[in-house]
Amino acid sequence: MKKSMYGKFGGQFVPEVLMPALTELEEAYKRYKDDPEFLAELDYYMKDFAGRETPLYFAKNLSKKYGIKIYLKREDLVHGGAHKLNNTLGQALLAKYMGKERIIAETGAGQHGTATAMAAANMGFKSEVYMGAKDVVRQHMNVYRMELMGCKVHAVESGSKTLKDAINEALRDWVTNVENTHYLIGSVVGPHPYPMIVRDFQSVIGKEVKEQIMEKEGRYPDSIVACAGGGSNAMGIFHPFIEDKEVKLFPVEAGGKELKTTEKEALHSASLCVGEEGILQGAHTLILQDKYGQILESSSVSAGLDYSGVGPELAHLADIGRIIPCNVSDDEALEAFYELSLLEGIIPALESSHAVAYVMKMAKTGELGDLVVINLSGRGDKDLETVFKLKEEGETTKGKEDCL
Amino acid sequence: MRIADKFAELDKKKERALIAYVCAGDPSTEATKDIVHALVKGGADIIELGLPFSDPVADGPTIQAAATRALAAGMNPDLYFEMAASIKENVPLVCMTYYNLIYKRGTEKFARDCASSGITGIIVPDLPAEESDELHDACKRNGVDLIFLITPVTTESRMKNTLARTSGFVYIVSRLGVTGERVDVADSTKKILERIHTDVPKAVGFGISNKEQAAEVIKAGADAVIVGSAFVSIIASGKDVNEKIEKLASELKESCKE
């Protein structure tokens, strides 16, 4: 197996001009990942800037209602409101050690862009973020946040105007400015070594869970449930448990409106569940594509899960049966959004609501066991507008139906 | 026609090659056939026929837009090979596309379809030598050249491996960035040509749009110039396309003759 592969997945399917940059990044990462000075500095940022460690919270009301013990890993409490900062701090620090001056990133919901802007502002980088024009509209508060921190936000008008197109545009920027620029990818996607680096920086989530659950319950959980678009929060919480075979791992994808595909688009973003093997944005992985290999536009109520591919290591873990891919619909995720807010006083991100929804749906079946950890990857403040708009639309539709 | 035969023919005439890129199906299959005819009439020696992909990461806005137009007009790999087979110009045809379209069709079938439709070379901008075992073997079995790219930041060790794999010609990117028109190509071209030692013809592309630039590239020692975005811009303008294409091709070709 080549070093750049995760089983049969992964690889480095990128323009020639990026190959030296990937090698440089991999070598730098190898040099610094165990370097005491680097680790001490990262540790400082994680603790004093990001606010780690995050609590592992026993959701007593949710647990009572569903009859199993449910813990929430509170990544929503990380500075910025999501797990994304774990990775951006790590990579920005690496870029600093590598002597880069400029950082670029793509963003879907705007969470990764915001986390990039935070790390860049703090460490003194110039930063520019590419964001699909459609996402700029549905997540405009995050655009303001990025701009406040001195980050330049480019609205990407090509293709489906979402995350996939933002990544394309960031890659084009990197191809042009590769000598002084670090491309700070926000998920476990793209060419090697990115899936590995992002996974490692996010693994702090799973490492903390291991210690916290032992302290609280004296054993590992039966199941860990995390939402998966590209899959960074899922890999982050799963990775430290991969060898603990008794722990079931469930990545929950966005089932969207339904698990169907038209000629031009998928009505969902469930690449692990129903995608096919292909090459997208540097990696051999599972993707949503038509019969010719053209990439299909994906769809989800949550911008952060709205992606036509998935991290290659997740594709590999699904392939060997170590993780169990599943999905919930937009409606189920919305229901969970409301329920967690009501029952626990925690407003989850629409992304994380998918993980909560799966637990709500499956708790009674026994499939998850008695002790479950949900990765609550982000908070829902950014989604309020989306949710209220959907609520209004729902009420309008319902009103019409009542008249009929 | 094989690429090597074309270069041998040009060598006898003491000419350098003009390689022209257009995106198949932009704005229609019929139009592409006429455009290819105009290119050859104007003096293009090799035609790079782009097979449009939904996510062309190595392309600038001009060629991205061409791919979008072609896909919207219904271009797909089946139609592409049909069209290629119907082109009867006496020049080598080279397919330029992204790897997922090849992977999805199957590398063997893709290479076979190329060979049987008269395409004698393949360029895949998102397939570095390291990932190319499967396609390389398939191309070899089917008598199709697999053409790799070299850039100013390609390291010596990777250059060696990549050159060992490339046949037909080597595609030299004279400066960093995506495809598109640019100014000032002389220095960067000279610098990179000095580093490349191979028997395979050296074709320089990315950013060449007029006869002056083409002449500079040839003067710097290139065996061929590759021009894409400048032709695609003419197609996008939609006005007197074939006449303008033929005129630009003949101007560029003049720069390839000593």
Side-chain angles (χ1 to χ4, degrees):
Chain A
M1 189 164 79
K2 277 194 295 187
K3 64 177 171 43
S4 61
M5 304 299 277
Y6 309 82
K8 64 175 173 176
F9 297 98
Q12 298 181 311
F13 297 86
V14 294
E16 172 63 27
V17 64
L18 294 183
M19 290 300 284
L22 294 178
T23 309
E24 182 194 359
L25 179 62
E26 190 176 359
E27 281 168 4
Y29 181 63
K30 239 190 257 166
R31 183 157 67 244
Y32 295 120
K33 77 184 174 72
D34 302 314
D35 177 71
E37 191 191 334
F38 178 83
L39 289 175
E41 202 172 343
L42 181 60
D43 194 52
Y44 155 77
Y45 276 110
M46 288 291 202
K47 207 171 140 206
D48 289 5
F49 186 69
R52 300 208 73 91
E53 67 178 28
T54 61
L56 182 68
Y57 166 72
F58 176 60
K60 58 180 187 304
N61 300 322
L62 203 62
S63 299
K64 200 170 154 198
K65 177 160 180 190
Y66 290 95
I68 56 174
K69 277 190 164 175
I70 302 169
Y71 281 87
L72 305 176
K73 179 59 175 166
R74 298 291 309 276
E75 292 300 296
D76 59 319
L77 295 177
V78 175
H79 176 44
H83 70 292
K84 292 293 184 186
L85 192 68
N86 303 330
N87 169 48
T88 60
L89 285 175
Q91 278 197 56
L93 193 63
L94 187 60
K96 196 171 119 181
Y97 276 66
M98 289 169 76
K100 302 284 177 184
E101 300 150 15
R102 180 172 172 268
I103 282 179
I104 56 168
E106 83 294 340
T107 196
Q111 293 302 101
H112 172 58
T114 303
T116 300
M118 287 170 170
N122 196 282
M123 294 184 200
F125 287 103
K126 264 191 278 182
S127 68
E128 294 182 36
V129 165
Y130 292 88
M131 185 170 185
K134 219 161 108 184
D135 292 332
V136 166
V137 175
R138 53 180 172 179
Q139 300 288 350
H140 62 104
M141 285 309 279
N142 269 337
V143 176
Y144 296 146
R145 290 212 286 174
M146 288 183 261
E147 286 171 351
L148 274 175
M149 292 179 283
C151 173
K152 191 167 174 202
V153 181
H154 300 273
V156 177
E157 297 283 355
S158 60
S160 58
K161 304 178 189 186
T162 60
L163 180 58
K164 148 179 104 68
D165 312 285
I167 297 179
N168 289 343
E169 214 49 48
L171 281 168
R172 290 184 187 112
D173 180 315
W174 202 30
V175 163
T176 311
N177 302 298
V178 63
E179 285 167 315
N180 71 344
T181 299
H182 176 68
Y183 177 20
L184 207 164
I185 292 189
S187 193
V188 288
V189 300
H192 182 77
Y194 280 106
M196 171 183 78
I197 291 178
V198 178
R199 173 200 75 199
D200 288 355
F201 286 135
Q202 290 294 1
S203 288
V204 65
I205 305 172
K207 282 180 200 152
E208 287 177 7
V209 168
K210 265 193 155 173
E211 286 184 15
Q212 291 167 319
I213 197 81
M214 280 310 280
E215 203 174 290
K216 288 174 198 281
E217 295 287 337
R219 68 169 178 112
Y220 288 161
D222 298 317
S223 301
I224 299 176
V225 182
C227 66
S232 73
N233 90 82
M235 276 314 300
I237 196 165
F238 291 167
H239 185 64
F241 287 96
I242 294 294
E243 297 306 321
D244 304 301
K245 300 270 160 60
E246 72 282 9
V247 182
K248 286 193 194 172
L249 307 172
F250 295 90
V252 186
E253 299 192 287
K257 291 185 195 71
E258 56 181 321
L259 278 194
K260 266 196 185 156
T261 298
T262 69
E263 217 171 281
K264 288 261 176 263
E265 57 166 358
L267 302 177
H268 57 85
S269 308
S271 332
L272 280 175
C273 292
V274 296
E276 297 165 349
E277 283 184 47
I279 312 311
L280 178 63
Q281 292 166 337
H284 175 193
T285 185
L286 292 169
I287 60 181
L288 304 175
Q289 57 184 331
D290 73 5
K291 62 176 176 174
Y292 294 115
Q294 305 291 359
I295 309 305
L296 292 171
E297 294 178 12
S298 56
S299 161
S300 168
V301 68
S302 115
L305 300 183
D306 198 347
Y307 181 55
S308 313
V310 66
E313 192 168 14
L314 283 165
H316 166 62
L317 292 170
D319 191 45
I320 61 169
R322 180 62 191 96
I323 60 173
I324 307 159
C326 48
N327 66 86
V328 300
S329 68
D330 283 351
D331 288 345
E332 288 169 324
L334 276 165
E335 212 176 294
F337 176 90
Y338 285 117
E339 180 147 301
L340 192 67
S341 305
L342 271 176
L343 281 182
E344 298 288 349
I346 295 171
I347 303 170
L350 279 176
E351 289 78 13
S352 323
S353 299
H354 284 71
V356 178
Y358 188 71
V359 172
M360 285 165 45
K361 190 160 107 174
M362 301 305 288
K364 294 271 191 309
T365 67
E367 199 194 334
L368 304 175
D370 303 323
L371 182 59
V372 178
V373 174
I374 299 175
N375 196 6
L376 200 72
S377 54
R379 68 175 186 226
D381 307 48
K382 68 179 176 55
D383 296 314
L384 295 185
E385 255 178 281
T386 307
V387 171
F388 281 120
K389 220 173 124 205
L390 285 168
K391 199 176 163 207
E392 273 171 22
E393 279 169 14
E395 276 163 8
T396 324
T397 329
K398 196 166 170 290
K400 275 184 196 151
E401 276 166 7
D402 289 346
C403 293
L404 288 171
Chain B
M1 186 183 200
R2 289 302 294 258
I3 295 166
D5 296 337
K6 175 53 86 175
F7 275 103
E9 177 192 310
L10 291 171
D11 247 5
K12 277 190 204 141
K13 293 196 279 184
K14 298 233 181 319
E15 283 179 20
R16 304 296 173 208
L18 169 63
I19 303 176
Y21 170 94
V22 287
C23 179
D26 168 33
S28 72
T29 310
E30 281 313 305
T32 300
K33 283 195 224 169
D34 293 341
I35 289 162
V36 169
H37 183 70
L39 283 167
V40 176
K41 210 170 145 200
D45 301 298
I46 296 172
I47 304 293
E48 259 183 46
L49 211 45
L51 167 57
F53 178 52
S54 54
D55 293 73
V57 292
D59 285 304
T62 309
I63 292 180
Q64 272 179 62
T68 305
R69 287 193 298 270
L71 288 171
M75 182 44 72
N76 66 45
D78 293 339
L79 289 174
Y80 176 88
F81 288 117
E82 245 173 66
M83 188 193 84
S86 73
I87 293 176
K88 299 295 177 202
E89 310 289 343
N90 192 28
V91 296
L93 295 178
V94 172
C95 170
M96 180 150 181
T97 196
Y98 288 81
Y99 193 53
N100 197 47
L101 297 186
I102 299 172
Y103 177 84
K104 183 74 176 155
R105 198 172 188 85
T107 46
E108 182 65 31
K109 182 165 164 35
F110 197 95
R112 203 169 54 229
D113 288 343
C114 281
S116 64
S117 61
I119 292 169
T120 54
I122 305 180
I123 304 170
V124 194
D126 63 342
L127 189 74
E130 285 84 343
E131 303 289 357
S132 68
D133 288 357
E134 231 187 280
L135 185 61
H136 182 253
D137 293 349
C139 282
K140 228 173 174 177
R141 279 194 294 273
N142 289 281
V144 174
D145 291 313
L146 185 56
I147 295 149
F148 288 93
L149 289 86
I150 297 275
T151 79
V153 293
T154 303
T155 57
E156 293 305 321
S157 64
R158 293 200 58 263
M159 170 113 60
K160 222 172 131 194
N161 294 337
T162 305
L163 287 175
R165 282 234 150 162
T166 198
S167 66
F169 60 85
V170 55
Y171 191 135
I172 298 161
V173 178
S174 58
R175 47 195 304 170
L176 301 184
V178 291
T179 56
E181 301 163 33
R182 282 183 197 84
V183 286
D184 174 37
V185 289
D187 281 357
S188 52
T189 306
K190 213 173 222 162
K191 246 186 243 162
I192 187 163
L193 283 175
E194 275 166 14
R195 291 179 55 214
I196 300 179
H197 309 288
T198 174
D199 297 333
V200 180
K202 300 187 273 269
V204 175
F206 278 41
I208 300 164
S209 57
N210 58 44
K211 59 182 179 194
E212 289 79 18
Q213 290 171 323
E216 282 171 17
V217 166
I218 295 297
K219 208 175 133 209
D223 300 304
V225 285
I226 305 171
V227 179
S229 296
F231 288 120
V232 172
S233 296
I234 294 175
I235 296 167
S237 77
K239 268 184 66 185
D240 309 323
V241 170
N242 295 332
E243 294 75 21
K244 285 187 192 158
I245 291 259
E246 189 184 327
K247 183 164 172 278
L248 178 61
S250 86
E251 281 174 20
L252 291 163
K253 181 62 197 183
E254 275 309 306
S255 303
C256 299
K257 297 174 183 168
E258 276 147 273

